[in-house]
């Protein structure tokens, strides 16, 4: 194994510090007893209690979770269907237009996407609220799911499906019992990506949201404009902890699944020998 040079070590250290040092400072100051976020006045957890009693933040968090769960699930279903059509349907009339419409949100500025959706909702006389945010998030996140699932379907061994069909499965049974379990990691990754994008979105939600449907990023942005408060630090720390826990759990599950698959392959090889 190649040893890292001093320059690489220094570069890696500065890069990690640039990325994670602000988060560390934010977490530390979330336990600050002072109302001034730049003045340390001792250790305290009072701002977490204030955050729990802040109904505005709690309502915004519930709206964000609701929108994220619903939009990511719909985007995963539609994105998987779009990926299946692009990979398995071959050449068909309108394929270029279809693929272009699927991948357009990837390169389209969020401001343009949000404004377009706003004009659409106004044109069809649809009141803005949770429903419009769900529709907006589904529109821009399904393309990411399609990209992830398409890459897995492109390397999929179709002989497995053909074997299932030869053994008497219907096309739906072949997809449900053979194809879907194999591409499940890509589908789950697409869902997680869509859910993360929904939680993080501010620009598009600002166009699609109504007066009674404020998301958490919108609430944080409006609060920060008046000055960073210790409650914002506490809320950010909780979000960092949730994301870090989710990443660690998902990594452990993936590692365990890989080890189990390798063990099954070794057992199969021994049985054949």
């Amino acid at each position: 194994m190649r040893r890292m040079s001093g320059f690489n070590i220094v570069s890696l250290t500065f890069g990690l510090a640039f990325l994670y040092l602000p988060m560390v400072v934010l977490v530390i100051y979330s336990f600050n007893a002072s109302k001034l976020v730049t003045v340390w006045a001792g250790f305290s957890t009072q701002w977490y209690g204030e955050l729990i009693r802040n109904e505005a933040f709690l309502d915004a968090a519930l709206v964000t979770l609701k929108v994220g769960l619903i939009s990511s699930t719909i985007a995963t279903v539609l994105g998987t269907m779009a990926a299946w059509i692009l990979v398995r349907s071959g050449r068909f009339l309108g394929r270029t237009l279809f693929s272009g419409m699927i991948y357009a949100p990837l390169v389209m500025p969020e401001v343009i996407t949000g404004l377009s959706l706003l004009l659409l909702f106004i044109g069809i006389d649809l009141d803005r609220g949770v429903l419009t945010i769900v529709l907006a998030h589904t529109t821009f996140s399904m393309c990411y799911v399609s990209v992830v699932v398409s890459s897995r379907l492109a390397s999929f061994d179709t002989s497995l499906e053909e074997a299932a069909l030869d053994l008497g499965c219907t096309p739906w049974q072949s997809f449900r019992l053979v194809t879907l379990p194999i591409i499940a990691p890509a589908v789950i990754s697409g869902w997680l990506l869509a859910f993360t994008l929904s939680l993080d979105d501010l620009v598009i939600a600002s166009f699609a949201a109504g007066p009674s449907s404020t998301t958490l990023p919108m609430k944080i942005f409006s609060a920060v404009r008046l000055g960073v408060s210790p409650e914002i630090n506490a809320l950010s720390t909780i979000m960092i902890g949730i994301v870090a826990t989710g990443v660690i759990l998902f990594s452990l599950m993936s590692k365990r699944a890989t080890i189990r698959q390798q063990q099954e392959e070794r057992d199969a090889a021994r049985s054949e020998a």
Side-chain angles (χ1 to χ4, degrees):
M1 185 175 67
R2 294 180 56 186
R3 296 181 59 184
M4 294 183 63
S5 64
F7 175 78
N8 290 337
I9 294 176
V10 173
S11 300
L12 179 62
T13 301
F14 276 103
L16 293 177
F18 179 79
L19 290 174
Y20 295 106
L21 187 58
M23 296 184 187
V24 174
V25 173
L26 183 147
V27 172
I28 293 174
Y29 274 89
S30 69
F31 298 99
N32 186 11
S34 174
K35 291 184 178 181
L36 302 176
V37 294
T38 58
V39 178
W40 181 262
F43 182 87
S44 175
T45 58
Q46 62 173 328
W47 303 115
Y48 289 89
E50 294 291 337
L51 178 63
I52 294 175
R53 291 188 291 270
N54 193 320
E55 294 184 0
F57 278 118
L58 294 179
D59 292 340
L62 290 177
V63 171
T64 301
L65 288 176
K66 183 190 300 184
V67 170
L69 292 173
I70 298 175
S71 64
S72 58
T73 302
I74 299 175
T76 300
V77 175
L78 296 179
T80 302
M81 294 171 61
W84 181 273
I85 293 174
L86 290 174
V87 175
R88 295 298 181 84
S89 297
R91 308 294 298 181
F92 59 88
L93 184 63
R95 175 187 171 86
T96 302
L97 178 61
F98 178 76
S99 60
M101 293 176 64
I102 292 294
Y103 297 136
L106 286 171
V107 296
M108 190 73 66
E110 290 186 343
V111 174
I112 303 301
T113 302
L115 179 60
S116 301
L117 290 169
L118 174 62
L119 295 176
L120 173 64
F121 297 146
I122 294 175
I124 62 177
D125 196 21
L126 181 61
D127 293 334
R128 286 180 293 165
V130 174
L131 176 60
T132 54
I133 303 177
V134 169
L135 294 176
H137 285 188
T138 302
T139 300
F140 80 85
S141 60
M142 65 173 289
C143 62
Y144 293 91
V145 179
S146 179
V147 170
V148 175
V149 178
S150 294
S151 62
R152 183 64 186 92
L153 285 173
S155 60
F156 184 82
D157 187 3
T158 56
S159 62
L160 298 175
E161 294 177 345
E162 295 173 357
L165 294 174
D166 290 340
L167 292 174
C169 287
T170 63
W172 166 245
Q173 290 175 332
S174 175
F175 174 80
R176 181 172 58 88
L177 300 176
V178 178
T179 307
L180 187 58
I182 295 176
I183 67 172
V187 175
I188 295 174
S189 299
W191 187 91
L192 291 173
L193 180 59
F195 183 72
T196 303
L197 292 171
S198 177
L199 292 182
D200 184 61
D201 177 65
L202 170 64
V203 178
I204 296 178
S206 299
F207 286 96
S212 60
S213 57
T214 302
T215 62
L216 192 57
M218 294 171 58
K219 185 63 180 178
I220 294 175
F221 181 74
S222 61
V224 169
R225 293 177 63 183
L226 302 176
V228 180
S229 65
E231 292 183 23
I232 299 296
N233 291 342
L235 176 60
S236 301
T237 300
I238 293 175
M239 295 177 67
I240 292 174
I242 293 174
V243 171
T245 303
V247 170
I248 293 173
L249 290 177
F250 184 73
S251 299
L252 292 176
M253 292 173 58
S254 299
K255 185 177 181 180
R256 183 176 299 178
T258 301
I259 295 174
R260 183 170 61 250
Q261 182 179 0
Q262 293 175 350
Q263 183 63 38
E264 292 176 353
E265 291 176 354
R266 287 194 294 267
D267 293 341
R270 293 195 195 100
S271 62
E272 293 178 358

